[in-house]
Amino acid sequence: MLLELRDITKVYRVGVETIHALRGVSLGIDRNEFVAVMGSSGSGKSTLMNVLGCLDRPTAGEYRLTGQLVSRMGAAELARIRNEQIGFVFQSFELLPRQTALQNVELPLIYAREGIWGWRSRRRRAIEALTRVGLASRMTHRPNQLSGGQKQRVAIARAILNRPAILMADEPTGNLDSATTLDILALFRQLHAEGQTVIIVTHEDDVAAHCKRVIRLRDGQILSDLPIEKDQAGRFVDDVNERQRQRAAARQTPPARTGEAAAC
Amino acid sequence: MLNPLFYLQAIGLAIAQIWANKARSALTTLGIIVGVASVTAVIATLMGLKTKVLTEFESFGASKIFIFPNRPDNAPRNLYPWEEIRLKPHEVLAIAEGAPSVKAITPITEIGMTVESDDARLEGLSIVGIWPDWHQCERRGILFGRPFTQIDVDQARQVCVVNEAAIKELKLENDPVGEHILLGGRRFLIVGVVETIQSMMFGMSANKSEIFVPFSVAEKLQDKFFFMRCSALVKSPELSDEAKSEIRFILRRERGLGAGEPDTFAVEAIDQYISQFKALAASVTAIAGGIVGISLLVGGIGIMNIMLVSVSERTREIGLRKAVGATPAAILMQFLLEAVTLCLAGGFVGVAIGQSLAFGLTKIPNAGLEKAEVPLWAVAMSFGFCAIVGVLFGMFPAIKAARLDPIEALRHE
Ligand SMILES: Nc1ncnc2c1ncn2[C@@H]1O[C@H](COP(=O)(O)OP(=O)(O)OP(=O)(O)O)[C@@H](O)[C@H]1O
Ligand SMILES: [Mg+2]
């Protein structure tokens, strides 16, 4: 197991109210899985993602990542884990506005423990990552000179720079139009094909259909955890007309999904 | 712990941040700029004065000794009555004859008198009684005419020597040698005109009238127990200490002071005045340091304020940096470096302004500050203090930034 959650709970206190965002989530994810986390708004997807990404600590429960007990670590150790093991992609990109695409991609190296690899190898690595997301020609552009899809590519390049154990994305296509969404999803699929473990949070069945496994949450608990048929996912991507037809079919056929489709 | 790349980017980022908010940064660092500029200028002024005074002392002669009466510290008045401790002419004679290291010696006494010439009348001018050796002791020669001779002194002739200011004030001719003036109603012949030296330290200046008479003449005009002091010139500067002990020995013998009794006079060489001046300059420097301390404190509060603004403006950025692996220590260090950079930039501008103020001071005529310059240690000290202010006042905002929760920071609008 690459990562293992055991009975994770997360409780928020706002004034006198207590909000149970996660109530006893247990799951395991292996290397090179491609997982979608789905659920209605407020079901605890982001909370789970933040715990998985070591951005937040669970109130109770155990979280092991590559054998390390992450749920007991302090802020500095968690920062180290985030730097070395995790690549996080946000819905709103989170690029530094005054820095070029290349400088934005280089950011995690600044906080890397193994120190300086030299200016050249650092640059080479950032350029490599940008090339992999197809932005070799936009390296010196600033975020305000890039389209939404390009910004998200820069963010993905930044996330994969340190060759993380897991690439995580919380609604990565939430701010993008449908054509750009397909581009970005194709990129995730490609990274997965190259061996990357990927976890994506999404509202949309279309997006989830690109993944291999879907975890559904409701009220902070796991509702279902099912694999997606391989050929089904393949058909979704290869042909636009087929995709649209399949989408219509998908809305009716799998009974577990109907509730969420209505919610979207 | 943090890699060198981190420091490079943190400093680059700090400079970019300051540059991006030029006006704000300039206003924020105003306190520091003013503080550093003023202290730099004060130190430059002091250094200028010091250089000037020291060179003056040196030209004046490290080989000069002053002798004057001095009641021992805390001694009761009746134990050492004035008539005993005052210098007496026979004591000066004894030194002149008995101290081999002393090259020249002169008693000096002053009397206030009315001076009249044909065209002018000056009240209460101080008339100075001297020996011929005075010219040697004070390094002031004769411009016209002649100095006093031993005969003038021995016979108590009614002759006098004047300086140029006195010539002007008494409306005498440019070369007044041979003219007569009235000192306290008595006719004195002017035999010479003495050089004027400009000295800020000893209150002699070109525009103060001076009239000198032979010491024996002054003695007759004085009260019974009049005040006199002595100037002596040592044969060479190295003999200064030796001359002092010779003089001390002679005076103690003349006064019959026993082994346990303290001196009833003082013998001081010029280097004692130099060290006194240095002590004074040091205390003025300390006061200037205190002033800069206060202005840096005020400046530091400005820095803290702007850093707090910066932290809250950049909360999302902090969240992102944490998300990609910045430890609390790295965030702390980044904001500390930014505060220090801001302070150092202010310090740099302050030193530059102080430097140009110092340069301006050297151009003021007759201010005696031609030598004013900012010493390197003052520049180093300014930067050092600025860095300390940056660390002290940047610490609170930096800790605030370091403690931010990554998720909450990223959610911040
Ligand atoms: N910082 C917080 N303080 C208090 N309550 C919170 C906090 N963050 C999340 N919650 C609550 O926890 C629950 C789960 O929130 P979460 O953001 O995980 O939902 P989500 O599934 O990501 O929803 P969405 O699809 O709208 O993004 C919600 O009820 C939310 O109100
Ligand atoms: Mg969410």
Side-chain angles (χ1 to χ4, degrees):
Chain A
M1 280 286 136
L2 175 66
L3 65 85
E4 216 174 342
L5 295 186
R6 194 166 297 154
D7 221 13
I8 292 284
T9 60
K10 179 76 191 179
V11 180
Y12 290 109
R13 289 213 162 71
V14 183
V16 290
E17 245 184 303
T18 49
I19 297 158
H20 296 266
L22 295 176
R23 337 168 171 239
V25 174
S26 299
L27 62 88
I29 293 176
D30 259 325
R31 233 167 257 287
N32 199 20
E33 279 204 70
F34 192 179
V35 183
V37 177
M38 297 194 72
S40 56
S41 187
S43 58
K45 304 185 294 294
S46 296
T47 308
L48 176 63
M49 214 48 176
N50 292 338
V51 169
L52 287 176
C54 300
L55 283 163
D56 210 352
R57 261 173 296 190
T59 310
E62 273 186 11
Y63 173 23
R64 274 174 209 280
L65 176 65
T66 58
Q68 293 163 282
L69 191 58
V70 170
S71 46
R72 295 279 156 75
M73 286 183 174
E77 279 175 296
L78 284 179
R80 188 66 61 218
I81 297 281
R82 290 197 292 273
N83 186 248
E84 290 165 4
Q85 311 275 8
I86 288 164
F88 217 109
V89 177
F90 301 91
Q91 180 174 352
S92 46
F93 324 130
E94 304 296 346
L95 302 180
L96 299 181
R98 272 201 283 275
Q99 315 249 300
T100 63
L102 197 59
Q103 286 170 324
N104 265 293
V105 172
E106 280 175 352
L107 196 64
L109 291 185
I110 287 165
Y111 301 107
R113 176 163 48 181
E114 65 262 46
I116 196 159
W117 298 301
W119 185 83
R120 274 169 194 286
S121 49
R122 178 157 56 92
R123 267 288 130 91
R124 199 180 53 232
R125 201 146 153 187
I127 290 170
E128 223 173 76
L130 269 178
T131 313
R132 249 176 109 187
V133 300
L135 280 182
S137 58
R138 295 284 186 281
M139 291 195 289
T140 55
H141 289 227
R142 283 171 209 284
N144 59 4
Q145 299 163 324
L146 295 172
S147 74
Q150 287 168 334
K151 279 188 224 179
Q152 197 57 300
R153 282 166 187 273
V154 174
I156 293 168
R158 180 178 64 197
I160 61 174
L161 182 79
N162 271 347
R163 300 184 184 118
I166 325 167
L167 176 61
M168 303 196 173
D170 192 348
E171 302 195 36
T173 58
N175 286 5
L176 302 175
D177 61 38
S178 53
T180 320
T181 296
L182 286 180
D183 286 349
I184 294 295
L185 288 172
L187 180 56
F188 278 117
R189 276 159 47 95
Q190 185 198 333
L191 290 170
H192 169 246
E194 288 166 17
Q196 181 70 57
T197 311
V198 182
I199 308 176
I200 294 178
V201 166
T202 182
H203 276 119
E204 296 170 58
D205 288 338
D206 288 3
V207 173
H210 289 260
C211 306
K212 306 278 182 208
R213 174 181 169 191
V214 180
I215 297 171
R216 284 166 194 281
L217 293 180
R218 178 179 289 167
D219 291 337
Q221 283 175 316
I222 294 182
L223 186 68
S224 68
D225 185 350
L226 297 168
I228 290 181
E229 300 279 312
K230 218 175 182 176
D231 54 310
Q232 194 185 12
R235 259 187 284 154
F236 264 105
V237 169
D238 290 337
D239 173 51
V240 180
N241 295 328
E242 182 70 3
R243 188 188 323 127
Q244 278 167 351
R245 202 178 54 76
Q246 278 290 337
R247 192 192 296 158
R251 281 210 188 96
Q252 297 147 6
T253 41
R257 244 185 254 166
T258 27
E260 268 70 43
C264 296
Chain B
M1 187 188 64
L2 296 167
N3 70 49
L5 176 60
F6 164 79
Y7 289 98
L8 270 180
Q9 76 91 32
I11 290 167
L13 198 76
I15 292 168
Q17 196 65 28
I18 291 166
W19 193 247
N21 302 305
K22 282 183 278 292
R24 190 167 95 180
S25 309
L27 288 174
T28 302
T29 49
L30 209 58
I32 285 182
I33 292 174
V34 169
V36 169
S38 52
V39 83
T40 314
V42 167
I43 288 175
T45 311
L46 267 178
M47 294 313 279
L49 271 181
K50 200 158 157 182
T51 325
K52 169 130 181 128
V53 166
L54 290 186
T55 48
E56 200 164 88
F57 272 130
E58 265 149 33
S59 73
F60 211 67
S63 45
K64 207 173 154 186
I65 288 177
F66 302 98
I67 310 161
F68 46 90
N70 186 32
R71 184 168 281 127
D73 290 342
N74 306 323
R77 194 170 279 268
N78 52 9
L79 204 60
Y80 297 101
W82 171 246
E83 45 291 16
E84 267 176 43
I85 66 169
R86 63 179 279 268
L87 280 182
K88 289 157 281 278
H90 73 86
E91 290 170 336
V92 185
L93 272 173
I95 296 168
E97 279 156 19
S101 305
V102 172
K103 189 176 175 189
I105 186 165
T106 177
I108 298 167
T109 187
E110 297 183 24
I111 328 158
M113 266 196 226
T114 304
V115 182
E116 291 164 85
S117 68
D118 292 346
D119 302 317
R121 179 188 156 89
L122 298 176
E123 305 269 355
L125 205 67
S126 129
I127 309 298
V128 186
I130 54 172
W131 281 358
D133 269 1
W134 180 87
H135 296 283
Q136 219 179 331
C137 291
E138 298 291 330
R139 304 224 169 127
R140 291 175 65 182
I142 287 290
L143 291 173
F144 312 114
R146 62 168 181 83
F148 298 136
T149 61
Q150 200 53 46
I151 299 167
D152 293 328
V153 176
D154 290 348
Q155 302 185 352
R157 284 190 183 170
Q158 301 218 335
V159 291
C160 67
V161 166
V162 298
N163 74 344
E164 284 165 313
I167 295 175
K168 225 183 247 166
E169 276 200 84
L170 292 168
K171 303 202 173 73
L172 301 170
E173 283 170 36
N174 278 347
D175 179 1
V177 175
E179 287 190 56
H180 285 86
I181 52 174
L182 296 178
L183 300 182
R186 294 161 200 259
R187 263 167 73 86
F188 277 72
L189 174 68
I190 300 175
V191 293
V193 176
V194 71
E195 261 176 1
T196 300
I197 54 159
Q198 261 177 298
S199 162
M200 299 196 323
M201 277 305 288
F202 298 101
M204 303 173 204
S205 65
N207 39 26
K208 191 182 154 207
S209 293
E210 289 176 297
I211 295 172
F212 300 91
V213 297
F215 185 77
S216 47
V217 176
E219 207 178 345
K220 280 188 199 160
L221 297 171
Q222 283 278 33
D223 306 331
K224 192 174 172 202
F225 298 128
F226 66 92
F227 172 88
M228 62 178 269
R229 59 195 162 91
C230 268
S231 272
L233 190 69
V234 185
K235 281 187 175 137
S236 67
E238 311 83 71
L239 290 175
S240 175
D241 283 341
E242 214 168 314
K244 268 156 69 181
S245 43
E246 285 167 9
I247 292 167
R248 210 173 142 238
F249 175 78
I250 292 165
L251 281 175
R252 285 183 72 86
R253 192 191 61 205
E254 290 292 314
R255 293 183 173 198
L257 294 172
E261 284 184 89
D263 288 350
T264 51
F265 53 86
V267 183
E268 282 183 7
I270 201 106
D271 52 337
Q272 277 161 308
Y273 291 97
I274 294 179
S275 60
Q276 274 171 24
F277 175 79
K278 281 182 173 162
L280 180 79
S283 56
V284 176
T285 311
I287 292 166
I291 294 167
V292 84
I294 291 166
S295 56
L296 284 183
L297 188 83
V298 174
I301 291 167
I303 296 289
M304 180 151 80
N305 183 43
I306 214 69
M307 288 310 295
L308 284 171
V309 170
S310 184
V311 168
S312 82
E313 274 177 356
R314 286 154 69 197
T315 302
R316 267 183 103 93
E317 177 191 324
I318 295 165
L320 173 74
R321 286 177 183 275
K322 290 196 157 191
V324 300
T327 56
I331 298 292
L332 182 92
M333 189 54 84
Q334 180 184 325
F335 279 89
L336 270 189
L337 278 173
E338 191 168 320
V340 169
T341 309
L342 193 60
C343 286
L344 287 181
F348 184 80
V349 175
V351 166
I353 292 174
Q355 194 76 255
S356 24
L357 279 178
F359 183 75
L361 286 173
T362 63
K363 297 292 170 224
I364 301 173
N366 293 331
L369 294 171
E370 303 79 23
K371 298 261 165 56
E373 62 172 5
V374 184
L376 212 60
W377 62 261
V379 176
M381 189 193 74
S382 297
F383 283 127
F385 273 119
C386 286
I388 291 170
V389 165
V391 171
L392 284 183
F393 290 89
M395 191 55 91
F396 173 59
I399 288 176
K400 233 185 130 181
R403 287 213 182 133
L404 281 175
D405 179 72
I407 293 298
E408 268 162 39
L410 276 168
R411 226 179 258 149
H412 188 265
E413 249 335 295

